[in-house]
Each structure stands twice: as C-alpha cells, then as structure tokens.
Amino acid sequence: MTSASAALPQQPGRTKAFLRLVMIEHSVFALPFAYIAALTAMYEWDENIHWGRLLLVTVAMVGLRTFAMAVNRIIDREIDARNPRTAHRELVTGAMSVRHAWTGALVALVVFLGAAALLNPLCLALAPVAVIPMVVYPYGKRFTNFPQAILGLAQAMGPIGGWLAITGEWSWEAVILGLAVGIWIGGFDLIYACQDVETDRQVGVKSVPARFGIPAAIWGARACHTVTTALFAWYAVATDAGVLFWLGLLIVAGAFVYEHTIVRPHDLSRLNRAFFSVNGFIGIALFVCALLDLLVRGLTV
C-alpha cells in the first residue's frame, strides 16, 4: 500500500471534523431571512420564483458563513483552549489542524465569491464588504466590550445580500430586515455569552456580561429582541405584507417571550434550549409564514 493510498481513509475524517468545526447545521439561523428577502424581491420583480438564483443565494450564504466560522475558530483557538466549555473544539484537541482549517476557509471563500460573481456585478463588487466584519468579529472581543454589535453587523449582510442577488439594486426594505436579523442575533449572543462570564474575566475576553454583569446582558437581550420585533413589523409595512406574515410575527413575538421566560439572570440552566431550539424555531417559523404569505399574494412557484 502506498503512502498516498494509506492517507485516503483519513480524508472523510477531516471533512467531518471541518463540518463540526464550523457547525454547518447552524446555517438555519441566517438562511431563512436571506430567503425571505430574496423571495420578496422576486415577488416584487415579476412574481416568479427563480430557482437558479435561489440556489446561488444558498451557496453564497453557506460559503460566507462557513468561511466566517472557520476564521473565528482559527483566530480564537488559544482562547478556546483556556475555556472548559470550548476546550473540546477541533483545533484545540488536534482533530483538525490549522492548515486544514485555513484550507477549508479559503475554499468556502472562493465558493462565496464565485456565487456572488454568478449572481450579478453588484453582488461581486460588494462581496468584500460582506467579508470584512466576518474577519473583524473574532478580534472584537479583544478590543471592545460590545463584540455582539460586530456580530450583528455581519449577520445583517444576509438579507441585504439576498435582495441584491435578485434585483442587483439597493433596497432599504432589505436593510430593515437586515437590521432586524442583526439585532436579533446580537441579542441572543448576549444571552449565550453569559455562560462564559467567569472564564472571560480570567482570560481577558471582553463582552457585555463580563464587563457589566449577567443581569445587564439579559436586559440588553430583551431590549434587542423588542427592537427586532418592531423592525420585523416595519419590514411588513414597508413590503405590504399580508396577514400570514403578521401571523408569523405574532409567533416570533411569542417565542421571544418564551425565550426570556426560561432564561433569567440567576437561572441559566435552560440557556442552550433558548439559544438553539427557540432561535432556530424563530427563523423557520417566520420563513414559512412569509413564504405562504407571498404564495397567497401571487408568487408563482
């Protein structure tokens, strides 16, 4: 057996390790809102779903998010090694080498840029703008107590890019939706960061809960999600959304209330349920209601 053939069985392991590294399944948080923007733009453009463009939007979103997560893990690997909650991550344990992580990140970046180029010239021209906050974010916790603001800016790119991908033109409606998504994700990241307060203070990682305390972070998240709900309502008005979208918004508002009922400043025992289950449900629920609303209003499959 040659050395090359002996190395072949290791490749699937590296692929699986990379997919675990970037938590590929968490694309569910951002993709639904890019789809809402893209489908609304299609409805306003010619009332037809353009499946090829929707596929390219999916490829671009997954590519950019994969690049962002890989870079985040690479930059934060020394911090992760000092935190018991993150010490099992692939770059810390050696399941994935830094070189292979960079290879995966660069492949994802090329995929993103290729999809942007295939969509339209404006998407390609603005693609580097979308990449910048993805790289800045992991450094944010080293120089500001508000790294979630950078994360929110990065996440706001999804809906804006989804709309641009269809029309090739700037849309303030997409900006409203992007702000809603960015503030929503920044808000639940405030909650997520609460579990690392003691470690962050010891290591020197900056965050709202580490600087101002868990109660301040929880109240900040509640304020963020109140603003998010208002922005979703503004988006509904701006796009003349129908009753089904408003029903989705009521479901989202109820989910926010539930999320902040199960996570309290002195009880973080159900934090993972709030972070993963509730927030995943929010994205899917609003997307389904938005899609049904557009179909009822005349969007053609």
Side-chain angles (χ1 to χ4, degrees), residues 196-269:
D196 293 328
V197 168
E198 296 304 322
T199 301
D200 286 350
R201 288 171 176 168
Q202 293 172 6
V203 175
V205 171
K206 297 179 181 293
S207 71
V208 170
R211 173 64 178 83
F212 302 102
I214 291 176
I218 297 296
W219 280 105
R222 291 173 180 172
C224 285
H225 293 159
T226 300
V227 173
T228 296
T229 304
L231 286 169
F232 281 147
W234 187 9
Y235 175 78
V237 172
T239 57
D240 296 320
V243 65
L244 288 172
F245 186 96
W246 286 101
L247 174 62
L249 184 52
L250 285 176
I251 294 172
V252 167
F256 280 145
V257 171
Y258 173 70
E259 180 177 28
H260 290 285
T261 299
I262 66 174
V263 178
R264 298 176 180 274
H266 303 294
D267 181 10
L268 302 178
S269 60

Side-chain angles (χ1 to χ4, degrees), residues 33 37 152-161 171-185 231-232 235:
F33 296 96
L153 176 62
Q155 296 296 329
M157 300 290 181
I160 297 173
S171 165
W172 289 109
E173 292 92 339
V175 171
I176 296 169
L177 184 59
L179 286 174
V181 172
I183 294 172
W184 165 55
I185 292 180
L231 286 169
F232 281 147
Y235 175 78

Side-chain angles (χ1 to χ4, degrees), residues 18 20 48 68 91 122 232:
F18 182 76
R20 289 196 304 269
N48 287 301
L91 288 175
L122 184 58
F232 281 147

Side-chain angles (χ1 to χ4, degrees), residues 15 29 73 102 113 148 156 180 184 207 235 249 254 269:
T15 301
F29 292 140
R73 294 290 190 254
W102 271 120
L113 293 174
Q148 286 78 20
W184 165 55
S207 71
Y235 175 78
L249 184 52
S269 60

Side-chain angles (χ1 to χ4, degrees), residues 39-169:
L39 290 169
T40 304
M42 290 178 190
Y43 171 76
E44 294 191 358
W45 187 21
D46 63 0
E47 298 188 354
N48 287 301
I49 294 180
H50 298 265
W51 294 102
R53 295 195 183 201
L54 202 59
L55 176 61
L56 287 173
V57 168
T58 305
V59 171
M61 285 290 297
V62 173
L64 182 58
R65 186 200 167 276
T66 300
F67 167 77
M69 283 295 295
V71 169
N72 193 335
R73 294 290 190 254
I74 292 167
I75 294 171
D76 279 353
R77 64 189 185 278
E78 293 182 4
I79 292 176
D80 288 343
R82 300 172 66 183
N83 185 335
R85 183 180 64 82
T86 58
H88 67 281
R89 287 178 175 169
E90 288 70 21
L91 288 175
V92 178
T93 63
M96 168 69 58
S97 70
V98 174
R99 180 168 66 88
H100 284 113
W102 271 120
T103 299
L106 293 176
V107 168
L109 180 60
V110 170
V111 168
F112 165 65
L113 293 174
L118 291 172
L119 282 164
N120 57 62
L122 184 58
C123 282
L124 180 59
L126 293 178
V129 177
V131 171
I132 291 172
M134 308 299 177
V135 178
V136 173
Y137 166 64
Y139 290 107
K141 61 179 71 71
R142 293 163 170 81
F143 64 81
T144 177
N145 292 313
F146 304 96
Q148 286 78 20
I150 305 173
L151 176 63
L153 176 62
Q155 296 296 329
M157 300 290 181
I160 297 173
W163 196 296
L164 288 173
I166 306 306
T167 66
E169 297 178 354

